[in-house]
Amino acid sequence: MSAEIPRRILVGVGNAGVAVLDRIAIEHPRMKGLMVINNDPESLASSVVTRRITFPQGDAEDGFLAIEQEFGLALGGALSVTFCGGLGGELGSFLLPALVARTKAMGITTLASVGMPFGFEGRQKRELALKAIEKIQGICDAVVVIDNERLSGGAPSMAAIGEAFQIADRTLQASLMALQGMLSSSGPVKITKADLIALTSSSGAMTHFGYGRAEGANRLHEAFETAMKSPLLTLSGKGVKGASLKDVKTVFLLLQGSSDLSFAEVQRAVGEMERAVGEDCKIKVGVHADTSPGAPLEIFILASSGATLPSVKETEEISSSPLKPRKSDASRQHPQTALTGTRGEPESTAPTRTSKPVKANPAKQTQGFLDLNTYQRGRFDKSEPTIVAGEDLDIPTFLRKGIKLGSPQRH
Amino acid sequence: MASDQIFVGLEIGTTKICVIVSEGRSDGTISILGVGETPSRGVRKGEIVDLGTVTECIREALLDAEEKTNVEIGNVWVAITGAHLRSFNNRGTFILPEDRDLIIPEDLETVETNAKEVALPASNSFLHTIIQSYHVDGNRNVLSPVDMVGSRLEADFHIIHGVKTRIQNTLRCIESLKLGIEDVVLSSLASALVVLTQQQKDLGSLVIDMGGGTTDYLLYLDGAVRHSGVLALGGDHITNDISIGLRLPIARAEVLKIQEGSAADPEEGEGGVITLKNDPGFHGCEIDRRALNTIIHLRVREIFELIRDDIESAGDGILGMLGTGVMITGGCARLPGIASLAEEVFELPVQLTRAKEVGGATQTFENPQFSTAIGLTKYAMAVSAHLQEESFFQRIARGVGGIFQRNRR
């Protein structure tokens, strides 16, 4: 039996975790190593994931002790375990950190992709979630945090509440697949576990996540554009695509597609990414071109910059007064995601709002900017692109060839 | 003047819409009677994106042409371009029945039909089937096989096809103006008719028509079309590159391109600074000439390299067989330095060319921007005899094109 245990395991915890893993099971029927844990028997009964563990109702500690052995046996022989779930609830806030600790104690590479609650779910839930993140970050090799509150900025304001949760689930799923992809050893170009840890080892690192998927002749351009326009990569309230990447130190670019994914397309994606980030940003590329022919191209962007998640107070301020000028702090601009490693303890002094106008450090007072580099197609921005050999030829040739031009001298 | 000797060519370009009214002469040449022209709106990369606006622009150009020539326009020959157009070469074969060894005209139609027995995408339709050469029982390059004795007739064709609905949209604009459509012609085919002499077609020439939204190219060898293509890249891309690279408004970038731009190698050209003066809403600035020319040079070089690579990928080393070289026409042919750049890329002699063997308004046929529209009227003259009894729609009805059936009900 032990030979059948997959080397990489995905564990969905709670309702959100079950929903995400169900989606993965349906979209990737050949994927092995899926496991769901929930205290809702109905949710588990309707799940398409076959490996299910029921968390007993009642005391959380007793519950954990009850399933610990079964859980440990299920992980035997695994090389990595990636957890997924929403934080703020009982399972996400208490069980998830305990399972992470149990896994790490077995010497298994442990990762997690977790969702922060929406603002309307209440202050208490967010506080619980922040505490859980602190615990998880202290144990896991890498954690991606999807802030649903920030994510909901990408949904129409009149969107049905169910739609908001669906968007959250889809993003969580994409981040989970990104982590899986980065750890996969099947691709011709790999992002290694060491790369992932290197990304997370930066002090106070915060990351941003984007995901795009497309097929057809223009798949690269469309997938990349979608990823860059992800709400988690845009500046708060500005909608400038990929703007969050301006200050990042490291970015992971993962391309996952069918075996006809060309060298030119990979080259093109790296070129696009180089233009989107600053000059001193490191780009790590991963390519998995081993899915079935005709499969859509998926692009995952995961990046790191120097900021932390907003506190409960900050979140409330941001939510209640979105038009007020904000202190120029990266965390204010990018409150959506965080990726930190075992060494990346969350800063205890999360940035807070001052009542006085901020003018002590003019260098930090930056106005929201329009990033011209992201609008590289100019008058052709809304045109059907001219794609030859996977390259978008509407983008100026000098930009694609990386040739620097002097700026005009204004009178 | 007999009305059946008047031909009207309509080119719906990305930067301009022009109508050429020509008169056919008995010596096979055409004389331009006048040109109607209007700036184009609602066209991107050679394809219509705003039907209503384009229709209005066509109406303006037609009225302009009618006013200048005093000719009432009823039917037009239309040029078509766009990145959706594709081409390939194919051979059709026909084995004559055992009881007959004389090749008859119907056999030519059969062999053409056989050559088109290929699986086009469902959305596409044939636009042109251009004969390259006939072969009778292995006897290659027969010019006219009718009445020859043989058992096996083969024919090589250059076949051009495109997305049916995109072609239809072009035609709908014209239909809505109650105009008749004589035929639809690939832009580069029309251009080549007037910029190449028969000798140049025989020796081998590559015609590049570099317009505002597209660059069309067509290769002749041994008097027949061997290769063609359309790139949705043109002068507009150069302007856009300048606008982005030098951070100028599009209109400013366009003027700068026309007045100061060069496609020559910027390292070899003159340097210095170009001063743009203040205008309402625009702060003047100084532009590095080398930066401007670098932007243009890189874009034009890339377009030429794409054409070269496309032709070379077809195999046969056909570029090396061109005795005449490369002919560049279209609006971008007026960019300084473009010929030397093309020579470097294609390693062939290059000429900037315009309509030839054409009479009438000098300023019209000397302008390479009008090559396609003039070519349309030349095409019209060349094929009108064959079409007198069989209109474009009739040809469609019998399944040659199939583009238009739905519209004609």
Side-chain angles (χ1 to χ4, degrees):
Chain A
M1 288 295 286
S2 61
E4 292 178 6
I5 292 175
R7 293 157 71 85
R8 288 194 303 277
I9 293 178
L10 290 180
V11 182
V13 180
N15 287 329
V18 173
V20 169
L21 259 67
D22 273 351
R23 292 176 67 97
I24 291 175
I26 291 165
E27 290 175 19
H28 305 273
R30 289 192 304 168
M31 184 174 271
K32 293 177 181 172
L34 304 184
M35 184 198 303
V36 289
I37 304 174
N38 204 355
N39 57 0
D40 178 359
E42 280 185 25
S43 154
L44 284 179
S46 59
S47 171
V48 294
V49 177
T50 50
R51 190 79 181 90
R52 308 165 198 159
I53 298 179
T54 306
F55 185 76
Q57 302 280 0
D59 184 76
E61 266 191 53
D62 290 346
F64 174 70
L65 292 173
I67 66 162
E68 187 186 9
Q69 192 179 9
E70 184 184 359
F71 177 72
L73 285 173
L75 300 189
L79 289 181
S80 73
V81 177
T82 308
F83 289 90
C84 164
L87 301 182
E90 184 189 9
L91 292 195
S93 301
F94 298 106
L95 178 62
L96 193 50
L99 293 175
V100 165
R102 176 75 172 85
T103 309
K104 191 67 187 168
M106 293 170 73
I108 300 171
T109 301
T110 312
L111 306 100
S113 181
V114 292
M116 289 289 286
F118 286 100
F120 64 77
E121 294 184 82
R123 180 191 179 103
Q124 192 190 9
K125 260 202 158 184
R126 192 165 185 93
E127 279 178 350
L128 285 173
L130 283 170
K131 283 179 186 169
I133 283 177
E134 196 174 336
K135 288 179 194 165
I136 294 169
Q137 284 173 332
I139 304 163
C140 267
D141 292 291
V143 184
V144 176
V145 183
I146 306 294
D147 190 345
N148 290 347
E149 181 59 19
R150 173 66 186 127
L151 193 64
S152 63
S157 56
M158 296 305 289
I161 190 149
E163 193 180 331
F165 277 103
Q166 276 183 11
I167 290 172
D169 286 352
R170 278 202 297 272
T171 309
L172 205 54
Q173 177 192 346
S175 67
L176 199 59
M177 296 307 290
L179 284 179
Q180 282 296 100
M182 285 170 193
L183 285 182
S184 165
S185 59
S186 59
V189 183
K190 297 165 195 168
I191 291 172
T192 63
K193 179 184 162 189
D195 290 331
L196 200 54
I197 290 173
L199 177 77
T200 64
S201 63
S202 311
S203 167
M206 176 177 216
T207 63
H208 314 282
F209 177 69
Y211 163 72
R213 173 188 170 112
E215 51 193 328
N218 194 26
R219 61 187 180 179
L220 179 82
H221 176 75
E222 287 172 10
F224 195 86
E225 282 289 293
T226 308
M228 293 295 276
K229 286 176 182 168
S230 161
L232 303 184
L233 285 186
T234 56
L235 263 186
S236 176
K238 297 287 192 293
V240 179
K241 61 183 180 186
S244 301
L245 297 176
K246 267 296 157 201
D247 303 323
V248 303
K249 306 283 188 293
T250 308
V251 61
F252 285 179
L253 174 65
L254 179 68
L255 290 93
Q256 202 159 279
S258 58
S259 49
D260 65 349
L261 180 66
S262 68
F263 178 73
E265 284 178 304
V266 177
Q267 228 176 2
R268 178 81 202 98
V270 174
E272 294 259 13
M273 185 51 77
E274 278 174 347
R275 282 187 287 280
V277 298
E279 282 182 3
D280 55 346
C281 176
K282 292 177 193 166
I283 300 173
K284 297 272 186 187
V285 185
V287 180
H288 294 172
D290 57 353
T291 50
S292 56
L297 172 67
E298 294 179 294
I299 292 182
F300 303 96
I301 298 168
L302 197 60
S304 130
S305 68
T308 57
L309 270 174
S311 66
V312 173
K313 188 181 171 190
E314 284 174 322
T315 307
E316 285 172 354
E317 284 175 350
I318 290 166
S319 303
S320 61
S321 56
L323 297 179
K324 285 183 187 174
R326 295 174 190 170
K327 189 173 170 182
S328 176
D329 184 288
S331 68
R332 303 295 186 115
Q333 290 186 351
H334 319 297
Q336 61 275 32
T337 59
L339 174 89
T340 56
T342 46
R343 302 142 211 88
E345 286 289 326
E347 290 177 24
S348 56
T349 53
T352 54
R353 194 175 176 76
T354 58
S355 57
K356 291 179 184 176
V358 180
K359 60 178 189 177
N361 187 353
K364 285 191 174 181
Q365 287 191 11
T366 54
Q367 190 181 347
F369 62 92
L370 178 66
D371 184 1
L372 291 174
N373 286 334
T374 60
Y375 296 99
Q376 296 156 345
R377 303 177 79 241
R379 73 196 305 181
F380 301 112
D381 198 37
K382 291 183 173 61
S383 301
E384 184 182 19
T386 301
I387 306 291
V388 176
E391 201 167 9
D392 184 351
L393 300 185
D394 289 336
I395 296 171
T397 317
F398 74 88
L399 278 179
R400 282 180 281 115
K401 292 186 182 296
I403 290 170
K404 305 270 182 197
L405 301 168
S407 297
Q409 301 295 311
R410 303 285 169 189
H411 289 163
Chain B
M1 189 187 302
S3 64
D4 59 354
Q5 286 300 301
I6 299 290
F7 304 108
V8 181
L10 168 63
E11 186 195 11
I12 305 168
T14 307
T15 49
K16 66 168 190 340
I17 290 175
C18 74
V19 176
I20 298 269
V21 182
S22 297
E23 178 192 5
R25 290 174 176 168
S26 56
D27 62 356
T29 60
I30 54 170
S31 175
I32 298 166
L33 299 180
V35 183
E37 192 185 3
T38 186
S40 183
R41 298 185 303 276
V43 182
R44 280 199 201 124
K45 300 181 182 179
E47 294 183 49
I48 292 168
V49 293
D50 184 343
L51 212 68
T53 307
V54 173
T55 306
E56 275 313 302
C57 291
I58 295 172
R59 188 198 305 276
E60 285 173 28
L62 286 166
L63 289 173
D64 189 28
E66 285 185 338
E67 198 174 298
K68 286 175 179 168
T69 59
N70 205 23
V71 170
E72 190 178 339
I73 297 171
N75 295 301
V76 292
W77 299 71
V78 185
I80 193 138
T81 185
H84 64 98
L85 297 171
R86 297 278 186 275
S87 68
F88 62 93
N89 295 323
N90 201 26
R91 175 171 290 188
T93 304
F94 176 63
I95 309 293
L96 271 68
E98 286 184 4
D99 59 348
R100 175 165 66 84
D101 58 3
L102 201 65
I103 297 170
I104 58 173
E106 285 75 16
D107 295 342
L108 305 190
E109 285 183 20
T110 308
V111 81
E112 181 180 332
T113 306
N114 293 347
K116 293 199 295 186
E117 292 292 331
V118 288
L120 288 189
S123 58
N124 280 29
S125 181
F126 292 106
L127 184 66
H128 290 291
T129 311
I130 306 167
I131 182 68
Q132 292 176 330
S133 56
Y134 291 104
H135 317 290
V136 178
D137 289 347
N139 182 13
R140 295 173 59 81
N141 298 325
V142 174
L143 292 177
S144 178
V146 175
D147 291 338
M148 285 180 79
V149 174
S151 61
R152 181 188 178 90
L153 173 66
E154 293 171 295
D156 293 330
F157 291 94
H158 185 68
I159 296 171
I160 298 160
H161 60 102
V163 177
K164 204 184 305 182
T165 51
R166 297 195 185 194
I167 300 170
Q168 279 176 334
N169 282 330
T170 304
L171 304 185
R172 279 180 68 85
C173 294
I174 302 161
E175 275 197 314
S176 66
L177 294 169
K178 311 294 181 199
L179 285 175
I181 299 163
E182 294 283 1
D183 206 348
V184 179
V185 185
L186 180 73
S187 288
S188 55
L189 188 63
S191 301
L193 277 177
V194 287
V195 302
L196 293 181
T197 61
Q198 187 56 47
Q199 190 185 18
Q200 288 170 329
K201 289 177 190 170
D202 292 341
L203 287 171
S205 299
L206 169 64
V207 177
I208 299 175
D209 185 341
M210 206 168 168
T214 62
T215 299
D216 301 60
Y217 52 101
L218 190 102
L219 188 145
Y220 266 99
L221 186 63
D222 297 330
V225 178
R226 303 288 169 185
H227 194 95
S228 65
V230 180
L231 282 173
L233 299 168
D236 282 359
H237 283 80
I238 300 173
T239 306
N240 190 52
D241 292 2
I242 295 170
S243 169
I244 292 173
L246 302 179
R247 294 171 198 172
L248 296 173
I250 285 284
R252 274 274 171 178
E254 177 71 17
V255 172
L256 190 65
K257 176 186 80 175
I258 293 168
Q259 292 181 347
E260 304 285 349
S262 167
D265 187 343
E267 295 304 316
E268 294 171 6
E270 59 176 315
V273 166
I274 303 163
T275 303
L276 300 183
K277 293 177 182 168
N278 283 328
D279 263 346
F282 175 75
H283 285 289
C285 61
E286 289 183 340
I287 303 289
D288 178 10
R289 187 180 291 279
R290 281 192 204 283
L292 170 68
N293 292 342
T294 299
I295 293 169
I296 299 172
H297 177 83
L298 288 171
R299 176 60 85 173
V300 179
R301 172 181 279 276
E302 182 179 53
I303 292 172
F304 287 155
E305 286 175 347
L306 286 167
I307 295 171
R308 180 198 63 195
D309 295 348
D310 178 47
I311 296 170
E312 283 181 346
S313 69
D316 302 334
I318 201 167
L319 268 180
M321 300 178 197
L322 300 184
T324 307
V326 181
M327 303 285 184
I328 302 176
T329 189
C332 290
R334 294 190 291 185
L335 262 178
I338 196 167
S340 57
L341 175 56
E343 275 177 6
E344 191 186 329
V345 173
F346 291 101
E347 297 178 350
L348 287 168
V350 174
Q351 291 177 42
L352 304 180
T353 188
R354 53 169 175 78
K356 293 168 188 164
E357 297 175 4
V358 175
T362 311
Q363 69 276 21
T364 303
F365 64 76
E366 284 192 343
N367 187 342
Q369 278 189 309
F370 294 118
S371 298
T372 300
I374 298 171
L376 281 173
T377 59
K378 180 105 185 231
Y379 179 92
M381 188 177 170
V383 302
S384 61
H386 299 287
L387 292 174
Q388 273 175 355
E389 292 183 0
E390 187 183 44
S391 73
F392 175 63
F393 302 113
Q394 285 171 322
R395 286 198 296 132
I396 296 303
R398 70 175 169 82
V400 174
I403 294 167
F404 224 33
Q405 280 169 316
R406 207 180 331 167
N407 276 353
R408 303 299 295 176
R409 282 188 278 276

